[in-house]
């Protein structure tokens, strides 16, 4: 069995008590060890700190389409274990009930985090425009290039599955970019590049 710090601490305390003529302390039970592991794997770590550096308010604009622009607010939740991202864009025809649409601002909601067990960055993305599912994005971060790479697959209509990739480049503390790709006949094609500028730190 792999020894944990809590197990070692109990063993050391037991040895000290035995040496002083007292009854040795009990070793932690399996349940206590399991709970300690559950807590440890739930804590925010250095990977979460990278996401925390993006907390604040941002303005974004498509690099090639000036009319595609909006705002993004990222806040830490659950003691920095996850991050909520609220996105507001321009007006679009939004699908509503009874086969109708209405003109409204694009709204997106994302929950970002880092899965300590799978060692992957994770994002769940929803929006009010296209799609009745949630995009489950998983990615890695390259510290040398300051780049996140996320990948996922969506089926927005029955039988039409499409692979996606998102590259997030942290340029400096006040700027980052997002470049989107989608699979077209077996080849990833760039579909959008957004530039973000920080407007308020927190």
């Amino acid at each position: 069995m792999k020894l944990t710090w809590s197990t070692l601490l109990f063993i050391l305390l037991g040895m000290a008590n035995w040496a002083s003529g007292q009854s040795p302390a009990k070793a932690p039970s399996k349940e206590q060890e399991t709970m300690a592991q559950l807590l440890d794997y739930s804590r925010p770590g250095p990977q979460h700190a990278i996401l925390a550096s993006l907390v604040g308010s941002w303005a974004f604009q498509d690099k090639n389409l000036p009319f595609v622009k909006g705002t993004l607010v990222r806040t830490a939740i659950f003691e920095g274990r996850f991050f909520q991202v609220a996105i507001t864009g321009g007006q679009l025809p939004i699908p509503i009930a009874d086969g109708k649409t209405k003109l409204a601002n694009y709204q997106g909601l994302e929950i970002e985090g880092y899965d300590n067990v799978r060692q992957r960055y994770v994002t769940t993305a929803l929006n009010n425009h296209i799609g009745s599912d949630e995009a489950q994005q998983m990615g890695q971060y390259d510290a040398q290039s300051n780049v996140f790479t996320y990948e996922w697959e969506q089926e927005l209509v029955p039988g039409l599955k499409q692979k996606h990739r998102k590259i997030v480049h942290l340029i400096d503390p006040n700027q980052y970019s997002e470049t989107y790709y989608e699979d077209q006949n077996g080849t990833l094609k760039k579909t959008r590049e957004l530039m973000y500028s920080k407007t308020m730190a927190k």
Side-chain angles (χ1 to χ4, degrees):
M1 180 181 70
K2 184 178 180 181
L3 291 178
T4 63
W5 282 110
S6 58
T7 304
L8 289 172
L9 179 60
F10 270 79
I11 292 173
L12 291 172
L13 287 173
M15 292 175 64
N17 289 335
W18 177 81
S20 61
Q22 299 178 13
S23 299
K26 292 183 179 180
S29 66
K30 182 65 175 179
E31 290 77 12
Q32 289 173 321
E33 288 188 7
T34 300
M35 179 53 68
Q37 282 191 317
L38 289 171
L39 291 172
D40 283 341
Y41 275 101
S42 300
R43 302 183 196 282
Q47 293 84 4
H48 297 82
I50 299 173
L51 294 173
S53 70
L54 299 173
V55 166
S57 298
W58 301 77
F60 68 85
Q61 182 170 316
D62 190 288
K63 189 174 181 179
N64 300 310
L65 302 172
F67 60 87
V68 177
K69 57 185 177 180
T71 61
L72 179 151
V73 179
R74 182 179 281 103
T75 55
I77 59 175
F78 303 152
E79 309 301 327
R81 291 166 57 194
F82 297 96
F83 299 85
Q84 178 175 290
V85 182
I87 305 164
T88 302
Q91 290 196 325
L92 294 166
I94 303 300
I96 58 176
D98 301 323
K100 299 177 181 179
T101 61
K102 71 173 185 178
L103 194 63
N105 287 88
Y106 174 88
Q107 298 287 334
L109 179 63
E110 298 179 356
I111 301 296
E112 300 174 333
Y114 181 79
D115 188 323
N116 289 323
V117 176
R118 290 185 288 180
Q119 297 184 350
R120 294 286 190 276
Y121 285 90
V122 291
T123 297
T124 299
L126 309 167
N127 72 77
N128 68 340
H129 184 220
I130 298 296
S132 60
D133 67 341
E134 72 282 352
Q136 298 285 350
Q137 308 171 10
M138 298 190 66
Q140 293 279 22
Y141 177 72
D142 179 29
Q144 290 189 332
S145 59
N146 295 325
V147 166
F148 292 93
T149 301
Y150 290 92
E151 294 186 336
W152 68 101
E153 184 178 77
Q154 281 187 281
E155 187 175 7
L156 299 177
V157 297
L160 183 60
K161 294 183 179 181
Q162 195 164 47
K163 295 180 180 179
H164 300 265
R165 179 177 295 169
K166 179 175 70 175
I167 305 296
V168 183
H169 180 204
L170 308 186
I171 301 169
D172 61 43
N174 297 307
Q175 294 184 88
Y176 71 91
S177 66
E178 288 183 347
T179 306
Y180 291 83
Y181 300 83
E182 64 180 34
D183 180 75
Q184 297 179 5
N185 299 318
T187 302
L188 285 174
K189 300 287 188 181
K190 183 164 74 172
T191 58
R192 175 158 293 175
E193 185 173 1
L194 301 176
M195 301 300 299
Y196 289 79
S197 299
K198 183 171 280 189
T199 57
M200 188 179 301
K202 292 183 180 180

